[in-house]
Amino acid sequence: MNKKNYLLALLSAFLMWLAWPPHIWFAPLLLVGLVPLFIALDNVIDLKEKKTGKKVFLTAGLAFLVWNTASIYWVYNAIKAYNGWLIAIPVSLIPFGLGALLMTFAFWLYYQLRTKINPTIAYVGLICFYISMEYLHQSWDLAFPWMTLGNGFAGMHQLAQWYEYTGVYGGSIWILLSNILAFETYKALKRNSITKVKLTASWALVIILPIGFSLYQYNQYKEKSVPVNVVVVQPNIDPYDKYGSVSTNEQLQILTHLSDSVAQVNTEYFIWPETAIPRYADEDKIRSNPDFLNAQQFLSKYKNGTLITGIESVKWYNDKATVSAKKHPENGMYFDNYNTAMQVENSAEVEFYHKSKLVPGVEKMPFPKIFSFLAPVFEGLGGSVSGWGWQEKPGVFYSQSGIGVAPVVCYESLWGSWIGESVKNGAQFIAIITNDGWWGNTSGKDQHLLYAKLRAIETRRWVVRSANTGISGFINQRGDITQKSTWWTRTALKENINLNDNITTYVNSGDILAKICSILAVLLALIIPYKKWVKN
């Protein structure tokens, strides 16, 4: 029986992997992909053997670990390229296993609740537990929300148009509810229960109504014509050469040449990728920085032009002004180094946005305040407990003409609510600058692009994406990719995009569904020890 249950768990892992981006056409399998796992868990629970909880945990854990690993295998590629396979294997197990552990814990809590209360409330608990774990994995210092269930419809975005009301957590709830009803329908049909018609109808409605509403929205949605000509550049410089064999001046020449090759007289925005200018720049002295002056000289040819580019920047302090500040070993001053988006205009105005959603362990030591006592040790090793600096709130760049842009650096494009704050504060389109070359030619780059479609739907804003090594492109307000580059090519693209000032329900409310589910999850989890206490 154990072998059969493990095979069912592996079947769920396979179905969920098959449905996950970049496998676009199998996305509807998400609505039934967890059914084999539910069958396996039901088998385990019905046996009422010793250590049932442990078996539930292991069965669910197998499904989620295999699904997560198969979907984000490219993490290993990124780590191996820089550190070698010996380090890559154990380090990769953290992102592979941590998300899976949280998902498994949600199902284990569901089992515990199911033994104490009626099945319907237990299912409500499962949905709340799972969503709360997803929200935790978005919010804490070990954040990696890549595998949030609602992201699964990024490929088939025509079915996710209602994310403008709920965000991706609405999709997560939909997927869980559909799987629960599909499983209960399967059981009713197997037993020939009188509830089979009611359950079948309920499940059908849960599938048909959201899909029907979404397709209606997709076909009826019309953009208001407020055109702006935008150029995105993909310089295609190997990320491992950006700081070595290819000089900063050469990289600037490539960027300006590509920009000029497609630009028009009326081009208003040029978007260059993350760390397009790799040489560190002192933000307080930026107007005398030679790279900045070269960028501004390029821009002088375009009267209404504005440039948004990635740059690595530094800010200096006399004391430890921020938790991320590090002490310089030579001059004794403190400094922050940032992965920055910089806006340059045909004026003295310069704006900076510092990447804030930093990759745990790579760009930022998790929980830096807690581990601040280790600062002397890390500084002695040439590092810091804080890693890169960051800013506390999302930003908006405003051009001379008053256009608002949400600057988004790489990994940040996974946070719908973060980008939503920029939109609420005046952003009329979204500019994602990234460098996806670290992962190689894997599905990671494709997933990263597809997830950006959900940001377009949630905010009803165009997404303009400039990637150093691919994939660059444009996504309209319905989530359609109107134009994109190919992987590992040097190119530039231009598009007339439409600005939008309207605020969606999701932008207004943010991740309210996840917050409500998290509160309910805590309350329902408290039932478990309470029932044990009453029984004793």
Side-chain angles (χ1 to χ4, degrees):
M1 180 60 77
N2 282 343
K3 184 178 179 180
K4 177 184 176 182
N5 292 332
Y6 287 142
L7 288 173
L8 285 168
L10 289 173
L11 177 59
S12 266
F14 173 73
L15 292 173
M16 296 298 284
W17 168 80
L18 190 62
W20 203 253
H23 308 136
I24 293 172
W25 300 110
F26 295 105
L29 284 175
L30 291 168
L31 300 172
V32 295
L34 293 173
V35 171
L37 176 60
F38 276 112
I39 295 171
L41 295 179
D42 213 44
N43 291 338
V44 171
I45 294 168
D46 284 348
L47 287 175
K48 296 180 180 179
E49 296 178 339
K50 290 182 178 180
K51 299 183 179 180
T52 298
K54 180 181 178 181
K55 292 177 182 177
V56 165
F57 193 91
L58 291 175
T59 305
L62 176 64
F64 291 123
L65 181 60
V66 172
W67 170 44
N68 275 257
T69 303
S71 299
I72 57 171
Y73 68 92
W74 46 263
V75 171
Y76 168 80
N77 294 48
I79 299 171
K80 179 188 173 186
Y82 192 75
N83 296 288
W85 66 269
L86 195 61
I87 294 175
I89 290 175
V91 173
S92 297
L93 292 176
I94 298 172
F96 294 160
L98 188 55
L101 180 64
L102 294 174
M103 297 172 185
T104 303
F105 186 56
F107 271 73
W108 179 81
L109 283 173
Y110 154 70
Y111 156 70
Q112 294 292 336
L113 187 62
R114 174 174 157 168
T115 61
K116 310 291 189 299
I117 210 159
N118 74 68
T120 301
I121 296 178
Y123 279 136
V124 172
L126 172 60
I127 292 172
C128 292
F129 297 146
Y130 198 97
I131 300 300
S132 67
M133 292 298 108
E134 287 191 334
Y135 189 57
L136 172 64
H137 211 27
Q138 172 189 295
S139 307
W140 64 345
D141 270 19
L142 294 171
F144 190 71
W146 203 277
M147 297 300 293
T148 299
L149 272 177
N151 288 338
F153 283 102
M156 198 174 281
H157 66 283
Q158 296 87 349
L159 305 185
Q161 295 295 306
W162 45 276
Y163 281 19
E164 72 166 284
Y165 301 100
T166 68
V168 293
Y169 289 111
S172 294
I173 292 171
W174 182 38
I175 291 167
L176 289 168
L177 182 59
S178 173
N179 276 278
I180 289 168
L181 287 172
F183 170 60
E184 287 297 322
T185 301
Y186 160 80
K187 287 202 300 182
L189 290 171
K190 189 177 179 182
R191 297 193 308 262
N192 198 24
S193 169
I194 57 173
T195 61
K196 63 183 180 182
V197 175
K198 182 179 178 181
L199 284 168
T200 303
S202 299
W203 179 41
L205 287 174
V206 163
I207 292 177
I208 293 169
L209 290 179
I211 290 177
F213 179 66
S214 188
L215 292 175
Y216 173 80
Q217 275 192 302
Y218 179 78
N219 289 307
Q220 294 298 311
Y221 187 84
K222 303 294 180 186
E223 293 186 12
K224 183 180 178 181
S225 180
V226 189
V228 171
N229 186 259
V230 180
V231 168
V232 298
V233 177
Q234 182 171 300
N236 199 49
I237 298 167
D238 191 313
Y240 298 100
D241 289 338
K242 283 180 67 67
Y243 305 92
S245 60
V246 184
S247 72
T248 300
N249 289 337
E250 287 179 89
Q251 293 180 48
L252 277 168
Q253 288 174 6
I254 292 168
L255 290 160
T256 56
H257 174 73
L258 289 170
S259 299
D260 286 332
S261 70
V262 297
Q264 303 172 179
V265 175
N266 67 332
T267 297
E268 291 192 51
Y269 275 94
F270 296 89
I271 314 296
W272 293 355
E274 180 184 16
T275 65
I277 303 175
R279 189 156 46 197
Y280 275 108
D282 186 335
E283 291 187 11
D284 294 329
K285 299 177 181 178
I286 193 65
R287 289 173 183 82
S288 61
N289 180 283
D291 298 329
F292 169 80
L293 293 173
N294 284 336
Q296 200 165 51
Q297 184 180 5
F298 149 74
L299 203 59
S300 65
K301 299 190 290 271
Y302 304 96
K303 183 179 178 182
N304 299 318
T306 299
L307 167 67
I308 296 175
T309 179
I311 189 170
E312 294 187 284
S313 64
V314 181
K315 282 185 72 72
W316 292 92
Y317 320 106
N318 291 322
D319 52 24
K320 189 171 174 59
T322 66
V323 69
S324 55
K326 298 166 280 292
K327 191 173 184 178
H328 195 277
E330 294 178 8
N331 62 21
M333 292 184 69
Y334 289 84
F335 70 97
D336 269 317
N337 55 300
Y338 297 105
N339 188 346
T340 301
M342 177 176 69
Q343 178 169 283
V344 183
E345 297 181 325
N346 283 307
S347 73
E349 291 296 316
V350 189
E351 294 188 67
F352 297 100
Y353 167 75
H354 303 134
K355 182 181 180 182
S356 303
K357 301 298 182 183
L358 300 171
V359 181
V362 178
E363 297 176 318
K364 178 183 178 183
M365 172 69 75
F367 313 108
K369 291 182 180 179
I370 295 174
F371 293 112
S372 61
F373 69 95
L374 293 174
V377 177
F378 279 87
E379 286 170 5
L381 297 172
S384 165
V385 293
S386 50
W388 294 76
W390 65 90
Q391 65 183 63
E392 296 298 331
K393 294 182 179 180
V396 182
F397 286 160
Y398 288 98
S399 68
Q400 287 177 302
S401 60
I403 297 172
V405 185
V408 179
V409 183
C410 190
Y411 183 57
E412 294 183 318
S413 61
L414 273 69
W415 275 263
S417 58
W418 181 264
I419 296 172
E421 284 296 313
S422 294
V423 169
K424 191 185 291 187
N425 293 332
Q428 295 163 294
F429 75 91
I430 300 164
I432 297 175
I433 60 174
T434 186
N435 185 357
D436 292 346
W438 306 107
W439 313 333
N441 190 13
T442 65
S443 60
K445 70 181 190 309
D446 302 297
Q447 291 170 347
H448 202 199
L449 169 70
L450 293 173
Y451 291 170
K453 295 162 70 173
L454 302 180
R455 306 293 85 82
I457 294 168
E458 289 166 346
T459 62
R460 294 303 183 186
R461 297 294 191 272
W462 274 77
V463 173
V464 176
R465 194 172 194 271
S466 173
N468 173 42
T469 48
I471 304 169
S472 304
F474 297 90
I475 302 171
N476 67 19
Q477 295 169 23
R478 295 195 308 180
D480 303 321
I481 298 175
T482 62
Q483 198 178 164
K484 69 175 182 176
S485 66
T486 53
W487 167 254
W488 212 259
T489 57
R490 182 167 290 175
T491 188
L493 307 171
K494 66 178 177 181
E495 181 88 55
N496 288 321
I497 71 169
N498 287 318
L499 304 179
N500 190 11
D501 286 320
N502 296 330
I503 301 296
T504 64
T505 301
Y506 174 71
V507 167
N508 259 328
S509 59
D511 293 324
I512 187 68
L513 282 177
K515 293 174 182 176
I516 291 172
C517 284
S518 297
I519 293 169
L520 289 175
V522 172
L523 296 175
L524 289 168
L526 289 174
I527 293 175
I528 300 168
Y530 173 75
K531 287 285 186 178
K532 284 185 177 179
W533 177 74
V534 170
K535 184 179 179 180
N536 291 334

